[in-house]
Amino acid sequence: MTAHVNGGDLSRLRQLNADSVIRVLRDERPQTLTELSRRVGLSRASTEDVVQELLEVGWVAEVEPAAGGVGRPARRYKFRADAGHLLGVDVGGHKVLALITDLDGTVRHSRQVAVTPELGRSERLAAVDRAVAGVLRAAGLTGDRLWGAGVATTGLVDGTGRVMLSEALPEWTGVDLAGHLRERVGGAVRVENDCKVAALAETWRGVARHATDMVFILAGWRTGAGLIIGGRLHRGFGNAAGEIGALPGAGWQRAPGHLRAWLSDGDVFAASRAGDKAATAALRRYVKDLAQGIAALVLTLDPELVVIGGGFSRSADVFLEPLRAELDRWCLRTPELRVSALADEGVALGAAKLALDLSSPQRLRA
Amino acid sequence: MTAHVNGGDLSRLRQLNADSVIRVLRDERPQTLTELSRRVGLSRASTEDVVQELLEVGWVAEVEPAAGGVGRPARRYKFRADAGHLLGVDVGGHKVLALITDLDGTVRHSRQVAVTPELGRSERLAAVDRAVAGVLRAAGLTGDRLWGAGVATTGLVDGTGRVMLSEALPEWTGVDLAGHLRERVGGAVRVENDCKVAALAETWRGVARHATDMVFILAGWRTGAGLIIGGRLHRGFGNAAGEIGALPGAGWQRAPGHLRAWLSDGDVFAASRAGDKAATAALRRYVKDLAQGIAALVLTLDPELVVIGGGFSRSADVFLEPLRAELDRWCLRTPELRVSALADEGVALGAAKLALDLSSPQRLRA
């Protein structure tokens, strides 16, 4: 068969191929064209075309050949994580965290501003401005030098970057976060719910890098979920996926309440770890309620992996086994259960990943 | 940029393009190459290549030009639904239904064999054999003439076509349905859970043809769910997605029980329709429990559409509005709610769709 290939066809093919090449170069040591070609299943000539294009836009660089070999060594290529910078901002109840990362999600600079859940809209936006200005200054960057900016916040966010509904933060429903940030950093700004981007961060830099179907649980004084399905963030038709916590039967509205008494009495996790029976009993009640909602997600999706993140995940050692046992009671197949290692940076990292996804090589050229 | 395109690249591109062309030709009136090219976003030359290949394998045919036009009319092409036959089998508690459909899901022949839930494994398999033999005889086909065969049954099914777990049917756990059918019809046989394929049928021939994210609810003396996510059947990592009913809090284990008393007293739906207060009250209780599980699915996935199918869906007129009201109580965004029009054939049709998905044009050529 003769192949007629026009521009439209090519751009689809090139997008697929560029994505494949970048994926391999990001995950692996530098590769020769022959190695790359084998890994991505393209002809050597097609691989060379893709690499050439990625060299031109700066996503890929040639690696200096190792000295001392015999004969002319084959050229090797690496992903250029330092080709650009991303801004990721986490706007929460207790903190605003702004990060500058490279294209690989390595955090280069960060700036945190403490806030309180009670703060009004303009005060919280002022804190966002301070965090963003601070981290840009630390990085020696201006907004127009960024490859992209992403913002994550509690509540439901619509496709234009406006908060549709926030129950946790006062005066937050209706705020046009994308518009606000765009005025400060220029360019495209993407806004998303914090649990959703935290799930994204786990597939980028976290413990879910190789998972295709994953449920992320934000476990803290607030409980939430983000879903990765078929390797992609599942947003839902109205951007409201993962909101199982809204169902009283899921137990999440009640769960953190079992630990509330300990807010003034010290750390319930440390107390349980030290053998305090009341703390352990409170944690059991917490886990029982937390597990109902997780079981509903697991029974619905049957994911490969459940990742526990959020503030409580640092103390997961004292509740992970009880949680697994509780899930075993309800699930037909309890998935692998892992604890996030991204700590407090997960949400902001996920926001940076949102920004990265805005800037594919094709988009840059267009 | 020069395009080097080798065999591996091409087959990926060809698969995408052939799928796009078939999708348009299936859904629309016959198309000229120019129309097709515009619809699928390919160059005219690429479109011609794809159509030529589809003509060769028999999926596409040229349409006789309309008489009486001026000048030579452009050639038009149509999807050849009659190019092949598919076998779809629904193995349930009360019936075994075998269908022969064309490639478009139009039912050409059907054969139903009544069974009871109490039947043992070998008796149920014998009923399957009778239904399959009967429908093949009616169609004048032998198994080797089929383009594919699909089987759907209650319970969890593994990737090899074996029933992993069936709680509804005795001696059904462990049965190798794929192996059993393969001996009778030859070729590849695909087996899947009945709720999952019923969801597939709705996207093929039912009310969800244009939905990308859809939740299918099998509402009957058994309650179950099948999920379409991103346009594809979502099976889950262990093929156990959609099993929210296993969670007692989802209400599905209890829901049909509210109607059980009416099994001997006549039709609860007709009684409610006629104004019987006790029947209406029983249906309210049913709907309350049914809605808990549906709300859990909706809050998790935020689908575009929920389709109500299964035996009770024929009487959905008396419970759809109460169900919608109940979902409104719990969901952040109640999706569109529609009633299946596939009646008792949905599961068997979905099984035929499974079979179709086994036989893409590329696979046929390979």
Side-chain angles (χ1 to χ4, degrees):
Chain A
M1 177 179 136
T2 314
H4 300 281
V5 182
N6 79 344
D9 308 352
L10 249 192
S11 78
R12 183 153 61 160
L13 187 61
R14 270 157 60 184
Q15 180 79 54
L16 285 171
N17 292 348
D19 288 352
S20 304
V21 165
I22 286 171
R23 212 172 302 128
V24 171
L25 290 183
R26 249 186 206 156
D27 288 352
E28 312 277 341
R29 57 174 180 72
Q31 307 266 312
T32 66
L33 283 178
T34 309
E35 288 167 337
L36 258 180
S37 143
R38 201 175 307 132
R39 286 296 303 276
V40 299
L42 288 174
S43 69
R44 201 176 176 289
S46 295
T47 308
E48 192 165 7
D49 285 342
V50 172
V51 167
Q52 186 57 42
E53 187 170 26
L54 291 172
L55 283 167
E56 281 167 26
V57 294
W59 286 61
V60 157
E62 201 181 322
V63 178
E64 293 295 316
V70 179
R72 192 167 67 89
R75 288 177 181 181
R76 289 180 308 139
Y77 299 92
K78 66 167 183 181
F79 176 63
R80 265 194 62 195
D82 58 350
H85 292 96
L86 305 162
L87 171 67
V89 188
D90 169 8
V91 188
H94 296 275
K95 71 166 192 280
V96 174
L97 174 63
L99 302 178
I100 295 289
T101 78
D102 66 17
L103 302 183
D104 216 12
T106 303
V107 177
R108 299 300 189 180
H109 301 275
S110 77
R111 176 71 187 267
Q112 184 163 326
V113 174
V115 291
T116 62
E118 297 76 28
L119 228 53
R121 182 192 289 196
S122 60
E123 290 88 350
R124 199 174 308 275
L125 287 175
V128 170
D129 293 349
R130 281 206 304 286
V132 168
V135 80
L136 285 174
R137 201 164 44 240
L141 288 169
T142 49
D144 60 321
R145 296 281 309 285
L146 293 171
W147 275 32
V151 185
T153 190
T154 65
L156 294 179
V157 177
D158 72 14
T160 72
R162 193 182 288 270
V163 177
M164 285 189 284
L165 177 70
S166 170
E167 285 173 352
L169 303 180
E171 303 176 11
W172 206 236
T173 297
V175 64
D176 177 13
L177 262 182
H180 183 87
L181 257 286
R182 204 177 297 120
E183 279 177 25
R184 271 125 198 106
V185 301
V189 176
R190 219 162 129 183
V191 186
E192 192 46 273
N193 166 271
D194 53 1
C195 296
K196 289 194 177 74
V197 305
L200 207 53
E202 295 298 335
T203 65
W204 193 33
R205 297 283 300 182
V207 294
R209 257 175 275 193
H210 300 289
T212 306
D213 290 334
M214 186 271 279
V215 166
F216 174 83
I217 303 295
L218 184 115
W221 294 110
R222 218 162 37 84
T223 313
L227 314 176
I228 302 293
I229 303 179
R232 298 161 60 101
L233 177 61
H234 182 74
R235 293 189 158 82
F237 189 68
N239 233 19
E243 296 291 335
I244 186 75
L247 199 65
W252 290 2
Q253 291 162 24
R254 200 173 42 222
H258 301 300
L259 312 180
R260 200 81 64 187
W262 292 81
L263 267 175
S264 48
D265 281 4
D267 183 343
V268 62
F269 303 103
S272 171
R273 211 178 280 119
D276 183 312
K277 287 210 170 67
T280 302
L283 272 170
R284 291 271 161 170
R285 288 191 293 274
Y286 169 72
V287 160
K288 259 181 150 25
D289 280 336
L290 180 68
Q292 280 296 305
I294 300 179
L297 295 170
V298 165
L299 284 165
T300 298
L301 292 170
D302 186 23
E304 183 177 356
L305 181 64
V306 171
V307 175
I308 307 293
F312 294 175
S313 66
R314 277 165 306 194
S315 309
D317 60 299
V318 291
F319 69 86
L320 201 67
E321 281 316 311
L323 178 60
R324 196 190 313 271
E326 194 65 21
L327 290 176
D328 280 343
R329 282 184 65 189
W330 305 116
C331 298
L332 296 179
R333 194 190 66 76
T334 305
E336 190 186 345
L337 205 56
R338 300 189 70 174
V339 179
S340 169
L342 299 178
D344 292 337
E345 287 186 341
V347 173
L349 264 177
K353 180 64 164 75
L354 272 184
L356 178 66
D357 291 347
L358 270 181
S359 51
S360 78
Q362 266 64 25
R363 286 216 189 79
L364 280 180
R365 271 177 95 83
Chain B
M1 178 177 135
T2 313
H4 299 282
V5 183
N6 78 343
D9 306 352
L10 250 193
S11 78
R12 182 153 63 159
L13 187 61
R14 271 158 58 184
Q15 179 78 53
L16 286 170
N17 292 348
D19 288 352
S20 304
V21 165
I22 287 171
R23 212 172 302 130
V24 172
L25 290 182
R26 248 186 208 157
D27 287 351
E28 312 277 341
R29 56 172 182 72
Q31 308 266 310
T32 65
L33 282 179
T34 309
E35 289 167 336
L36 258 181
S37 142
R38 202 175 307 130
R39 288 296 304 275
V40 300
L42 287 175
S43 69
R44 200 177 176 288
S46 296
T47 308
E48 193 167 6
D49 286 342
V50 172
V51 167
Q52 187 56 45
E53 187 170 27
L54 291 171
L55 282 166
E56 282 168 24
V57 294
W59 287 61
V60 158
E62 202 180 322
V63 177
E64 292 297 316
V70 178
R72 193 165 66 89
R75 289 177 180 180
R76 290 180 308 138
Y77 300 92
K78 66 169 184 181
F79 177 62
R80 266 194 63 194
D82 58 348
H85 293 95
L86 306 163
L87 171 66
V89 188
D90 169 8
V91 188
H94 295 275
K95 72 168 192 282
V96 174
L97 173 63
L99 302 178
I100 296 288
T101 79
D102 66 17
L103 301 184
D104 216 13
T106 303
V107 176
R108 299 300 189 180
H109 302 274
S110 77
R111 176 71 187 268
Q112 183 163 327
V113 174
V115 292
T116 61
E118 298 74 29
L119 228 53
R121 181 192 290 196
S122 60
E123 290 89 349
R124 200 174 306 276
L125 287 175
V128 170
D129 293 349
R130 281 205 305 285
V132 168
V135 81
L136 285 174
R137 199 163 46 238
L141 287 169
T142 48
D144 59 323
R145 296 280 309 284
L146 294 170
W147 277 31
V151 186
T153 191
T154 66
L156 295 179
V157 177
D158 71 15
T160 71
R162 192 181 288 270
V163 177
M164 285 188 286
L165 176 72
S166 170
E167 284 173 351
L169 304 179
E171 303 177 9
W172 207 235
T173 297
V175 63
D176 178 12
L177 263 181
H180 182 85
L181 257 286
R182 203 176 298 119
E183 278 177 26
R184 270 125 199 107
V185 301
V189 176
R190 219 161 128 182
V191 186
E192 192 47 271
N193 167 270
D194 53 2
C195 296
K196 289 195 177 76
V197 304
L200 207 52
E202 295 298 336
T203 65
W204 192 33
R205 297 284 300 182
V207 295
R209 255 174 276 191
H210 300 288
T212 306
D213 290 333
M214 187 270 280
V215 166
F216 173 84
I217 303 294
L218 183 116
W221 294 110
R222 218 162 36 87
T223 314
L227 314 175
I228 303 293
I229 304 179
R232 300 160 60 99
L233 177 62
H234 182 74
R235 294 190 158 79
F237 189 69
N239 232 19
E243 297 289 337
I244 187 74
L247 200 64
W252 290 3
Q253 291 162 23
R254 198 171 45 221
H258 301 301
L259 312 179
R260 199 82 62 187
W262 293 82
L263 267 175
S264 48
D265 280 2
D267 185 342
V268 62
F269 303 103
S272 170
R273 210 179 280 119
D276 183 313
K277 286 209 172 67
T280 302
L283 272 171
R284 292 270 160 170
R285 288 192 292 275
Y286 168 71
V287 160
K288 260 182 151 22
D289 280 336
L290 181 67
Q292 281 296 304
I294 300 179
L297 295 170
V298 165
L299 285 164
T300 298
L301 292 169
D302 186 23
E304 183 176 357
L305 182 65
V306 171
V307 175
I308 307 292
F312 293 174
S313 66
R314 276 166 306 193
S315 309
D317 60 300
V318 291
F319 69 85
L320 200 67
E321 281 317 310
L323 178 60
R324 198 191 311 272
E326 193 66 20
L327 290 177
D328 281 342
R329 283 184 64 188
W330 304 117
C331 297
L332 296 179
R333 194 189 68 77
T334 305
E336 191 186 344
L337 206 56
R338 300 189 71 175
V339 178
S340 170
L342 299 178
D344 292 339
E345 285 187 342
V347 172
L349 263 178
K353 180 66 164 75
L354 272 184
L356 179 65
D357 290 347
L358 268 182
S359 51
S360 77
Q362 268 62 26
R363 287 215 188 78
L364 279 180
R365 269 178 95 82

